[in-house]
Amino acid sequence: MSVQDAARSSERSVKIAPRWFVLSAATVPLGILGQFMLAGLSLSVDLRFQGMHDTLGFLLAVPIGVVATAPFLRNEVKALRHWTGLLGILYLLQIVLAAAGSGLAQAVHVLNAGLLLVVAPVVVAKIARSHNGG
């Protein structure tokens, strides 16, 4: 293999995640941190923050939905299916747990939020590590 062939091969192997995908993924950890803050404020300051917590939780469906479904539709980010799929499943579980009310479901809701907070930055790191972000 010549130097030119190696250069061409290297150019073809560069993966570039679409900008909208990168931005969506980057907003998820920030939104989850906001969720933790609003939940804490609703417990310690004013119960009215609970409504903001609920609203932000449902708004997170947009970037999480984008991140979770794009690897199944776009070849550029196909390799991220496992992590983005896990993020989507954890988010759906979070919604189910929130709707289930109080008791054990609410306790697991908090635990699942921690899992989301771990997985979301991993997705961002995987994108940064394996994609050029163009």
Side-chain angles (χ1 to χ4, degrees), residues 28-82:
V28 174
L30 297 174
I32 294 170
L33 285 173
Q35 284 288 87
F36 272 99
M37 184 187 73
L38 290 170
L41 287 171
S42 72
L43 291 172
S44 61
V45 177
D46 191 340
L47 197 56
R48 287 181 284 185
F49 284 105
Q50 183 63 42
M52 294 162 83
H53 172 82
D54 297 343
T55 302
L56 180 56
F58 282 108
L59 288 175
L60 278 171
V62 175
I64 291 174
V66 166
V67 170
T69 58
F72 295 93
L73 304 172
R74 301 286 299 252
N75 286 333
E76 303 98 305
V77 290
K78 184 178 180 179
L80 299 168
R81 284 182 179 177
H82 294 94

Side-chain angles (χ1 to χ4, degrees), residues 5-126:
D5 290 337
R8 271 190 232 115
S9 176
S10 173
E11 287 172 12
R12 279 184 269 153
S13 68
V14 172
K15 295 179 258 179
I16 299 177
R19 191 174 309 271
W20 52 265
F21 181 76
V22 174
L23 291 174
S24 294
T27 62
V28 174
L30 297 174
I32 294 170
L33 285 173
Q35 284 288 87
F36 272 99
M37 184 187 73
L38 290 170
L41 287 171
S42 72
L43 291 172
S44 61
V45 177
D46 191 340
L47 197 56
R48 287 181 284 185
F49 284 105
Q50 183 63 42
M52 294 162 83
H53 172 82
D54 297 343
T55 302
L56 180 56
F58 282 108
L59 288 175
L60 278 171
V62 175
I64 291 174
V66 166
V67 170
T69 58
F72 295 93
L73 304 172
R74 301 286 299 252
N75 286 333
E76 303 98 305
V77 290
K78 184 178 180 179
L80 299 168
R81 284 182 179 177
H82 294 94
W83 284 101
T84 60
L86 177 60
L87 182 69
I89 290 167
L90 288 173
Y91 177 75
L92 290 174
L93 178 60
Q94 191 71 348
I95 298 300
V96 168
L97 291 167
S102 60
L104 180 61
Q106 200 63 27
V108 176
H109 178 77
V110 175
L111 173 67
N112 193 58
L115 294 174
L116 279 164
L117 190 57
V118 169
V119 171
V122 169
V123 169
V124 174
K126 293 274 184 189

